[in-house]
Amino acid sequence: MIEKIKEIIENRVLIIDGAMGTQLQIADIKNESWQYEGKDLEGCNELLNLTAPNILEGIHDAYAIAGADLITTNTFGSMPWVLEEYGIAKTSYELSKLGAQLVKKSCEKFSTKEKPRFVLGSIGPGTKLPSLGHITYDEMFEGYKIMAQGLVDGGCDIFLLETCQDPLQIKAALHALKEVSPQTPIMVSVTIELSGTMLIGTDAMTIAAIMAPFNILSLGFNCGTGPKQVHKHVKALSEVCRFPISVHSNAGLPQNRGGVTYYPMQPKEFTELSIEFLEFNGVSFLGGCCGTTPAHIEALAKEASKIKPKKPSGFLKASLASLFNVVPLKQDPAPLLIGERSNATGSKAFRELLKANDYEGTLSVGQQQVRAGAHVIDVSVGFAGRDEREDMNKVVSLYSQKVALPLMPDSTQLPALEEALKQIGGRPIINSVNLEDGEEKFDAVCNLAKKFGAALVCLVIDEVGMAKTKNRKLEVAERIYDLCVNRHGFNPDDLVFDMLTFTIGSGDDEYRTAGMETLEAIREFQLRHPEVGTTLGLSNISFGLSINARIYLNSIYLDHCVKAGLTSAIVNVKHILPLNKISDEDRKACDNLIFNNHEN
Ligand code: HCS
């Protein structure tokens, strides 16, 4: 199916139909059509698939006659948690299936060889936002699976996730849809409010960064405002989005007329403004949302048929994202600074807050790092005697809502990592994958990262142990690179290799050359694979020294590493000094340690 759709949009715009909800508001629906098991459920539009199929058929047929290629099912709210508001969660599968069957009937009636019609399964968000904790990822995932199964069994050709308000909702839905029907293409359409972002605060560029790793047919906008207001967001999306773009706006900005919502835009103006989107590369699907009618779609289909869509050409460098911001994995100037203080083993203050179950308090540790200039926040909550999964859930959900930077969930435990990923609406980076426990666990972490669209830190540890010399580091890094790229299909840009460093501050003979081994491994690996990133838990280099000595040594070692090609570092951001703040004498002392220029 996906190939067929892609082939069509090479040549012409595909037309999505118009509104359903506002059409039902003006339809002649009998009182008895709102009755179910003795209850009056007026307002539950999806019930009409069962009780008033003729009304739905009429609307679907009218849109098909008007020229729509993709006819949307009346299933916007047929998820169990939405139907539960009417006490009929159990009908989710049935109403979804009936909804798809009704559209299929219209499609069969009006399809021709030149103009096939497709069943577009509408999947809304409901009114609960998982990023705000109104509903869990798991509840959404389970609910969407039931609904998706109904849609597929009823003959759905393409899923349409529409009116999305929260990227975490999109992820829960994508995972459910892929599990139920991996071959059915998925269109994702988000709603941008007048504020310029989705309800949760995500703008066009950020949603493009979050969606980039996923396998979707298209990304776009619907509802919220009108074609005038969405214009600049379509332009912004077109510049960064690698997918075809869909736009189905409302018939103008909704107005309140005597308590009734009114959509003022007539078909002619709606069409003129919608057609302007075709100037932007990638725009390949046009249609209507609330307030549009078959007359809007007829005018739009006629004009759109005269224009060939432009191919998508958007580009975005490999990036991480919070709900609110995009952060490229490679900063210019390097390095990307990853704050290390939200760490139960590395920070006593953070640990004490966790032990006291003061999750709000742990948030302040994250926010201090934002103020200190971090680009990403590492979150590591594992600590003996505590439930890591539970702590990950609590800390990461708060950070995800309230820290404006991307997150790096950090754990050796798969369930804790997975729990973190289920709380993150943005695009995270996992810390980390390694080969210490063999390839089975390695594969499991990679699968998790792929599923949630996360980037990945690759740590140079294998079954033998931590790689200490340059050659061992390179050997393990090459093996991990090969597995990630060739077995798991990672884009090398999304991989960040942690070359590991050991303390040179202890005076221990074994580690005297540790700084140099790591430095040279970074240099060589970045030369061999310029597209990947590298990172380092910088503080290890100075373990055992006084706090001042640590600050100097860390800052100077970081400078050497960056010159060797290091692209990021996991650091206490407050403790990184600019070189001009370090005297020549201190600098020399640090260099002697790093380069092992000992007098003995
Ligand atoms: N397909 C839905 C979208 C609502 S935002 C409808 O009612 O037209």
Side-chain angles (χ1 to χ4, degrees):
M1 178 61 66
I2 197 148
E3 291 315 317
K4 197 162 158 188
I5 300 289
K6 282 186 175 162
E7 201 184 306
I8 299 178
I9 59 177
E10 294 261 304
N11 298 306
R12 67 179 179 91
V13 177
L14 273 172
I15 300 295
I16 307 170
D17 63 0
M20 173 55 72
T22 48
Q23 286 298 96
L24 287 173
Q25 275 164 13
I26 53 172
D28 180 21
I29 298 169
K30 309 250 172 312
N31 274 342
E32 61 259 32
S33 299
W34 296 115
Q35 310 301 311
Y36 185 76
E37 292 183 342
K39 280 179 283 183
D40 181 6
L41 304 183
E42 185 166 356
C44 180
N45 287 350
E46 293 69 24
L47 181 63
L48 302 174
N49 295 342
L50 178 71
T51 58
N54 293 347
I55 301 262
L56 272 317
E57 264 186 79
I59 295 173
H60 297 322
D61 285 359
Y63 279 130
I65 292 167
D69 300 286
L70 311 179
I71 314 289
T72 316
T73 57
N74 176 39
T75 52
F76 183 69
S78 72
M79 300 79 82
W81 70 91
V82 177
L83 292 172
E84 191 46 32
E85 291 166 19
Y86 298 93
I88 55 165
K90 62 178 183 199
T91 60
S92 172
Y93 172 84
E94 185 192 3
L95 295 182
S96 304
K97 184 173 171 185
L98 285 171
Q101 282 173 334
L102 287 169
V103 172
K104 197 166 172 62
K105 233 167 139 182
S106 292
C107 288
E108 282 170 357
K109 241 186 282 177
F110 294 99
S111 275
T112 60
K113 199 157 171 280
E114 298 69 44
K115 195 167 167 69
R117 315 297 166 117
F118 300 95
V119 182
L120 189 58
S122 166
I123 302 172
T127 52
K128 297 175 179 173
L129 303 181
S131 286
L132 295 186
H134 298 157
I135 182 168
T136 63
Y137 164 97
D138 285 335
E139 189 184 345
M140 281 196 145
F141 173 72
E142 293 303 330
Y144 277 134
K145 274 201 303 190
I146 297 170
M147 172 184 194
Q149 193 63 61
L151 286 171
V152 170
D153 292 349
C156 171
D157 296 310
I158 303 169
F159 293 122
L160 171 66
L161 280 175
E162 58 174 338
T163 326
C164 300
Q165 330 264 6
D166 177 349
L168 189 54
Q169 169 246 332
I170 302 176
K171 289 189 200 179
L174 286 179
H175 292 154
L177 304 185
K178 292 275 180 211
E179 189 165 308
V180 168
S181 183
Q183 71 287 354
T184 305
I186 305 173
M187 300 176 70
V188 176
S189 176
V190 310
T191 295
I192 300 284
E193 306 290 336
L194 267 185
S195 60
T197 67
M198 294 164 73
L199 203 55
I200 200 79
T202 310
D203 68 8
M205 180 167 169
T206 309
I207 195 65
I210 296 170
M211 287 296 110
F214 292 94
N215 179 14
I216 55 178
L217 170 62
S218 65
L219 181 62
F221 305 115
N222 76 295
C223 208
T225 58
K228 227 181 237 163
Q229 293 77 12
V230 87
H231 188 96
K232 59 177 179 289
H233 306 301
V234 180
K235 179 173 190 287
L237 188 64
S238 161
E239 283 162 13
V240 292
C241 181
R242 68 182 180 92
F243 305 114
I245 293 170
S246 67
V247 195
H248 53 299
S249 342
N250 290 344
L253 201 57
Q255 299 171 359
N256 184 336
R257 291 200 180 167
V260 179
T261 308
Y262 176 77
Y263 295 87
M265 203 171 272
Q266 297 306 305
K268 186 168 176 292
E269 192 186 359
F270 176 81
T271 297
E272 283 165 6
L273 292 169
S274 297
I275 288 291
E276 284 180 15
F277 301 141
L278 295 173
E279 287 167 19
F280 301 125
N281 290 352
V283 176
S284 315
F285 301 87
L286 290 179
C289 198
C290 301
T292 59
T293 64
H296 289 78
I297 297 307
E298 188 178 352
L300 181 65
K302 199 166 150 217
E303 288 308 309
S305 69
K306 300 174 188 161
I307 304 169
K308 202 170 155 171
K310 296 180 181 164
K311 283 194 192 343
S313 65
F315 174 75
L316 195 59
K317 281 199 284 188
S319 296
L320 305 177
S322 66
L323 286 170
F324 319 108
N325 283 304
V326 177
V327 175
L329 267 167
K330 288 189 179 164
Q331 295 286 310
D332 188 12
L336 176 89
L337 295 173
I338 302 162
E340 67 173 12
R341 301 313 292 159
S342 299
N343 184 314
T345 38
S347 158
K348 186 160 180 285
F350 186 83
R351 180 165 67 245
E352 293 305 323
L353 290 163
L354 263 191
K355 277 190 182 163
N357 293 332
D358 183 0
Y359 296 111
E360 286 285 339
T362 68
L363 188 58
S364 65
V365 180
Q367 282 160 341
Q368 278 160 22
Q369 299 175 84
V370 178
R371 285 193 290 275
H375 300 113
V376 176
I377 305 293
D378 182 285
V379 181
S380 171
V381 296
F383 195 70
R386 293 207 48 98
D387 181 341
E388 185 179 355
R389 188 173 167 167
E390 174 71 10
D391 282 341
M392 206 52 130
N393 170 305
K394 294 282 190 325
V395 174
V396 170
S397 57
L398 261 181
Y399 273 49
S400 195
Q401 279 174 47
K402 301 202 171 146
V403 174
L405 297 180
L407 300 178
M408 177 185 262
D410 181 351
S411 176
T412 53
Q413 303 301 314
L414 272 169
L417 279 179
E418 185 171 14
E419 192 60 36
L421 295 171
K422 288 179 181 177
Q423 313 303 321
I424 299 176
R427 179 171 201 232
I429 176 163
I430 291 178
N431 191 4
S432 60
V433 72
N434 65 64
L435 286 160
E436 185 176 12
D437 298 318
E439 291 191 8
E440 203 177 313
K441 178 153 181 216
F442 178 94
D443 287 344
V445 177
C446 287
N447 289 338
L448 210 51
K450 286 296 277 184
K451 177 174 174 188
F452 283 87
L456 194 54
V457 173
C458 307
L459 201 55
V460 287
I461 308 179
D462 66 3
E463 296 87 340
V464 179
M466 297 200 249
K468 292 181 181 160
T469 62
K470 171 187 167 188
N471 285 344
R472 275 275 295 147
K473 287 176 199 287
L474 289 170
E475 179 194 316
V476 180
E478 288 293 358
R479 183 173 158 212
I480 293 181
Y481 179 97
D482 178 53
L483 289 170
C484 281
V485 174
N486 298 321
R487 182 184 290 177
H488 289 282
F490 276 96
N491 186 338
D493 297 11
D494 285 332
L495 303 175
V496 178
F497 286 80
D498 184 335
M499 289 298 183
L500 277 179
T501 190
F502 300 91
T503 181
I504 54 175
S506 66
D508 187 337
D509 260 356
E510 193 192 346
Y511 293 123
R512 283 199 166 183
T513 56
M516 284 192 297
E517 298 287 346
T518 302
L519 197 59
E520 291 313 314
I522 291 168
R523 195 187 317 277
E524 174 68 23
F525 200 64
Q526 287 284 187
L527 273 176
R528 288 188 199 170
H529 303 285
E531 64 295 0
V532 304
T534 41
T535 195
L536 213 49
L538 189 69
S539 308
N540 286 345
I541 194 81
S542 61
F543 197 71
L545 296 179
S546 71
I547 179 74
N548 278 345
R550 292 196 76 172
I551 292 175
Y552 290 161
L553 184 57
N554 290 355
S555 305
I556 287 176
Y557 189 60
L558 178 61
D559 182 60
H560 287 300
C561 289
V562 168
K563 286 180 179 140
L566 186 80
T567 62
S568 71
I570 305 171
V571 292
N572 184 345
V573 183
K574 262 193 345 208
H575 287 177
I576 298 299
L577 288 180
L579 291 193
N580 61 12
K581 291 258 157 58
I582 303 176
S583 70
D584 284 352
E585 196 186 332
D586 287 332
R587 189 181 171 130
K588 195 152 180 281
C590 290
D591 278 352
N592 281 343
L593 259 180
I594 295 167
F595 296 107
N596 194 28
N597 296 330
H598 297 278
E599 261 129 47
N600 53 348

